Amino acid sequence: MSSRKLVFSGVQPTGNLHLGNYLGALKNFVSLQKNTECIYCVVDLHAITIFQKPNELQNNVLETVASFLATGLDPKKSTIFNQSSVSGHAELAWILNCVSRIGWLNRMTQFKDKAGSDKEKASVGLYIYPNLMAADILLYKATHVPVGADQKQHLELSRDIAQKFNNDFDCKDFFPLPEPLIAKNISRVMSLRDGTKKMSKSEESDYSRINLKDSPDEISKKIKKAKSDSSSIPDNLKDLEKKPEALNLINIFSEISKKSLEKTLIDMSGKEYSYLKTKLTELVINEITPVGKEIKKLLAEKAYLKNVLKKGKEKANIIAEENLKNIREKVGLI
Ligand code: TYM
């Protein structure tokens, strides 16, 4: 197998990105672009598996590009584009729909969460969403995929699909089996209101998350209101793990301050949570508000953002078309 390394990842344009996206994915995207070929995609076809107002969708795509750039992605180093502009994603997704198995999709926990109690009413697109995700990755024969822990199951499915395609069409190693790259220390940032749920764009209360565009005042209010504990901060991880909200705040602190969890606990043990919250507020404001300001600045330059997408689409399309030619051949399509 070749040792070529290619990174691919995607982010849905469903509104404001938050601290979970930033710590779990975007920061990794930026560090990977230094030494590796990277392709980053705004996955608008994934977004429409749940109804989106057309105007809002367009704005959200541009806002996601602005967020990519504001966190440090460089369009000269990384290929940045939106999924629907490269039609190969949809074409390969169809082929993979015929490779993937219904039993595999039935195991996907994210579908169960998103479809809620009335699965009959969910779109068919939402159900086969993981096959489209596999197509995104395999269209470029990507080898590494930086994601948060919530996407691990989808990545495993992508590997199963790649393996089955290689077996079915007797082409060992045709698709590399993509490796997830999951942030070691903070693979899952949790909701500020409920430490057992991940921080998410879809949670109703805005107090559950810190958005990249939040003002210092909003960040401060949200951290102040975050659920914590009335006792003081314990000196060991075992006790901390019994308090998921407190663990989450300390995890975020440790990640942004670049101090290990153990060292953070040594520094914080015995202190009140209000002390941690004050320190955390300072850190988060310093880290996030410059990003938020840059997003707002870039949003005023829509023509520039569209141009980044156009150039990215041209680059992505060259790789996609070349790979699709071989894929069609393998499948026997003329
Ligand atoms: P999406 O748009 O929900 O999230 C984008 C990225 O942010 C990560 N993330 C988190 N990480 C840590 N803590 C959190 N609370 C948190 N919330 C979100 C996600 O894991 C993700 O890495 N299906 C994908 C998008 C996608 C994709 C792909 C990803 C489509 N095709 C191909 C990789 C490869 C999604 O909905 O991510």
Side-chain angles (χ1 to χ4, degrees):
M1 201 186 280
S2 93
S3 58
R4 167 188 149 277
K5 192 172 171 190
L6 192 138
V7 165
F8 179 95
S9 199
V11 175
Q12 285 201 58
T14 38
N16 243 336
L17 297 190
H18 52 69
L19 193 66
N21 302 122
Y22 177 75
L23 296 177
L26 292 175
K27 277 191 97 174
N28 247 349
F29 292 5
V30 175
S31 67
L32 284 161
Q33 74 176 353
K34 282 188 206 124
N35 302 313
T36 316
E37 185 182 349
C38 294
I39 303 178
Y40 296 121
C41 183
V42 182
V43 292
D44 47 7
L45 295 176
H46 277 98
I48 61 170
T49 56
I50 291 173
F51 181 77
Q52 306 288 322
K53 291 189 183 134
N55 279 345
E56 282 178 17
L57 179 60
Q58 281 197 7
N59 284 329
N60 287 342
V61 169
L62 295 181
E63 182 163 332
T64 308
V65 182
S67 308
F68 280 5
L69 302 179
T71 45
L73 284 185
D74 176 353
K76 291 202 191 80
K77 291 189 186 141
S78 298
T79 300
I80 296 171
F81 72 106
N82 62 310
Q83 190 182 27
S84 62
S85 69
V86 175
S87 59
H89 289 255
E91 182 177 341
L92 181 56
W94 181 257
I95 294 174
L96 299 184
N97 281 340
C98 304
V99 174
S100 180
R101 304 289 93 180
I102 290 176
W104 297 355
L105 288 179
N106 283 345
R107 286 199 284 275
M108 295 297 114
T109 53
Q110 194 153 312
F111 173 74
K112 291 178 193 155
D113 292 346
K114 286 199 175 170
S117 53
D118 199 352
K119 291 186 186 45
E120 302 278 310
K121 286 205 174 136
S123 75
V124 176
L126 188 66
Y127 182 64
I128 56 172
Y129 173 120
N131 295 344
L132 176 58
M133 200 167 143
D136 299 337
I137 299 165
L138 301 181
L139 184 59
Y140 302 94
K141 297 193 173 182
T143 56
H144 293 82
V145 184
V147 281
D150 61 319
Q151 295 300 318
K152 192 164 173 262
Q153 194 186 35
H154 288 161
L155 252 287
E156 280 158 8
L157 181 83
S158 299
R159 289 168 65 90
D160 289 343
I161 293 176
Q163 180 84 67
K164 187 168 189 307
F165 184 102
N166 293 349
N167 290 342
D168 287 357
F169 297 103
D170 201 13
C171 49
K172 190 169 176 281
D173 297 341
F174 179 76
F175 283 131
L177 306 189
E179 295 274 350
L181 297 176
I182 297 180
K184 265 190 226 91
N185 303 325
I186 194 145
S187 57
R188 198 187 289 267
V189 178
M190 309 311 274
S191 155
L192 299 181
R193 309 295 274 170
D194 177 350
T196 62
K197 279 198 203 151
K198 70 168 183 174
M199 185 176 283
S200 150
K201 293 172 227 183
S202 51
E203 190 171 334
E204 219 175 290
S205 167
D206 201 46
Y207 274 89
S208 67
R209 63 188 157 258
I210 290 169
N211 303 307
L212 297 186
K213 283 195 312 182
D214 280 348
S215 67
D217 197 39
E218 282 165 322
I219 294 174
S220 168
K221 275 195 197 128
K222 287 179 179 179
I223 296 182
K224 203 172 266 170
K225 281 205 161 203
K227 200 166 161 200
S228 59
D229 204 75
S230 53
S231 58
S232 54
I233 300 175
D235 60 2
N236 65 82
L237 202 53
K238 216 167 148 234
D239 286 344
L240 185 65
E241 275 165 355
K242 292 181 198 140
K243 301 166 185 214
E245 287 84 12
L247 174 65
N248 186 40
L249 295 180
I250 294 200
N251 253 331
I252 298 172
F253 184 92
S254 136
E255 179 66 17
I256 301 182
S257 65
K258 299 194 177 77
K259 276 191 206 155
S260 69
L261 194 55
E262 290 73 18
K263 171 88 178 70
T264 308
L265 263 188
I266 292 171
D267 293 349
M268 294 279 173
S269 78
K271 302 221 160 63
E272 300 296 313
Y273 281 94
S274 57
Y275 175 81
L276 166 67
K277 284 183 170 182
T278 309
K279 293 282 170 205
L280 183 63
T281 303
E282 259 171 48
L283 268 188
V284 174
I285 289 177
N286 284 339
E287 179 88 9
I288 292 300
T289 46
V291 176
K293 270 194 199 140
E294 186 63 17
I295 295 175
K296 287 178 197 155
K297 198 179 116 209
L298 285 165
L299 279 176
E301 300 172 34
K302 294 228 159 65
Y304 169 67
L305 296 175
K306 285 184 183 163
N307 198 36
V308 168
L309 286 177
K310 182 167 169 282
K311 292 222 167 103
K313 159 201 157 172
E314 284 161 8
K315 281 205 274 177
N317 210 30
I318 292 171
I319 312 176
E321 277 308 314
E322 177 64 27
N323 287 339
L324 263 180
K325 206 168 81 198
N326 296 328
I327 294 165
R328 290 187 198 112
E329 218 168 80
K330 293 281 175 233
V331 177
L333 303 171
I334 297 177

